[in-house]
Amino acid sequence: MHNSATTGKTGSSHAQRSPSDRQQSGRSTTAWHAFVLRAAALLIIAGSMSVAPAVHAQVSITSGFKGGVHSADLRADDLAEALEIPDEFTERRRGMAVGGFVQIDFAGPFALQPEAAYVQKGFDIPNIPNDPNVEAGSLALDYVEIPILAKLQIPVAGPITPTVFAGPAVSVNVNAEFDEPRAGTDPRDISDFVSGTEVGAHVGAGLDIEAGVVLLMLDARYTRGLTGVFDEDEINDAASDITNEGFRISLGIGF
């Protein structure tokens, strides 16, 4: 990758930080990741348990699995300046989003739907013919993503119910690599330059389909990070406002 943002200030940043500082920072980041994951898991479990005694009062719980395709990209006011590469040298990264959900249906059209999924984000760099300065590759940013969605189920006759939903999400970065296959090198771990956690938002629409004893869920959503992808202390100033953006189509099954 030619003059990538991930190398903009890395030399000076690492020169100023001692090995003990970096080790302590790594331990702090790992501890923070673990705390966020535990807190999100406890939130989902507590939410499920709190409504369990009220099942007799027309509150029902459905849990299941979801999987889909996620089309990811990065967003900034001037992405070309932030990444220090032309816009035409980047394209969306297509990856997977797989995980589970708990849908808590209250009396009426509203439901609460916590989810947890492994999501592949980032961007790809296509092979640019006749340009030796650009190596085809990809920036792989993978997250454990935990959205808490408020869901409106639109009442209609029949087994198919249209839905709209929105809500906040907390994501923990679990993989950050830059890969240049044409260069013949192993993927480079760039987790030192990537923020360990991300706060974002989801908004979308879908269909809930009653199929016997199971509930099929088809949805499409737009996801947007509200906090920066990169660690501001480890990256150039122009790249500090880069956020994740994505579109996703998912199919779920609930029991």
Side-chain angles (χ1 to χ4, degrees):
M1 181 175 176
H2 178 51
N3 290 332
S4 72
T6 58
T7 60
K9 287 179 61 179
T10 60
S12 60
S13 297
H14 279 279
Q16 297 170 1
R17 298 175 65 194
S18 68
S20 61
D21 289 340
R22 290 196 296 271
Q23 186 176 10
Q24 183 176 0
S25 175
R27 288 196 298 266
S28 299
T29 300
T30 301
W32 172 243
H33 290 184
F35 171 78
V36 171
L37 287 173
R38 291 193 188 102
L42 287 172
L43 179 62
I44 294 174
I45 294 170
S48 300
M49 293 178 65
S50 66
V51 298
V55 171
H56 66 279
Q58 296 182 325
V59 174
S60 62
I61 299 175
T62 302
S63 60
F65 305 95
K66 269 191 173 185
V69 178
H70 187 81
S71 177
D73 205 350
L74 300 183
R75 184 183 180 93
D77 292 338
D78 189 341
L79 190 61
E81 177 187 356
L83 293 177
E84 300 180 6
I85 58 176
D87 288 333
E88 62 267 23
F89 288 175
T90 68
E91 62 183 24
R92 306 188 73 86
R93 181 190 183 206
R94 292 168 180 81
M96 66 177 182
V98 295
F101 69 92
V102 175
Q103 179 168 294
I104 305 168
D105 286 290
F106 303 98
F110 292 100
L112 185 66
Q113 185 170 297
E115 299 179 350
Y118 182 89
V119 184
Q120 294 179 319
K121 304 180 184 181
F123 68 81
D124 287 336
I125 300 176
N127 190 359
I128 308 297
N130 304 319
D131 193 331
N133 293 321
V134 179
E135 298 286 357
S138 64
L139 175 64
L141 299 171
D142 301 339
Y143 294 83
V144 173
E145 186 178 79
I146 304 171
I148 308 294
L149 304 175
K151 188 173 181 179
L152 172 63
Q153 301 163 320
I154 303 171
V156 296
I160 300 177
T161 302
T163 66
V164 293
F165 56 85
V170 175
S171 301
V172 177
N173 182 263
V174 294
N175 179 58
E177 292 182 337
F178 187 74
D179 189 14
E180 295 174 302
R182 199 171 71 180
T185 58
D186 293 331
R188 287 180 285 164
D189 184 353
I190 61 169
S191 56
D192 283 348
F193 311 116
V194 174
S195 178
T197 57
E198 174 189 73
V199 177
H202 291 208
V203 59
L207 297 172
D208 286 358
I209 306 169
E210 295 182 6
V213 296
V214 301
L215 177 68
L216 301 179
M217 306 172 71
L218 177 65
D219 71 59
R221 70 183 67 183
Y222 173 73
T223 68
R224 175 72 184 274
L226 303 177
T227 56
V229 169
F230 297 105
D231 186 337
E232 293 184 4
D233 295 333
E234 299 287 356
I235 205 70
N236 64 65
D237 292 337
S240 62
D241 67 338
I242 294 177
T243 57
N244 281 304
E245 179 187 52
F247 296 93
R248 186 182 313 167
I249 296 177
S250 301
L251 178 64
I253 181 169
F255 306 92

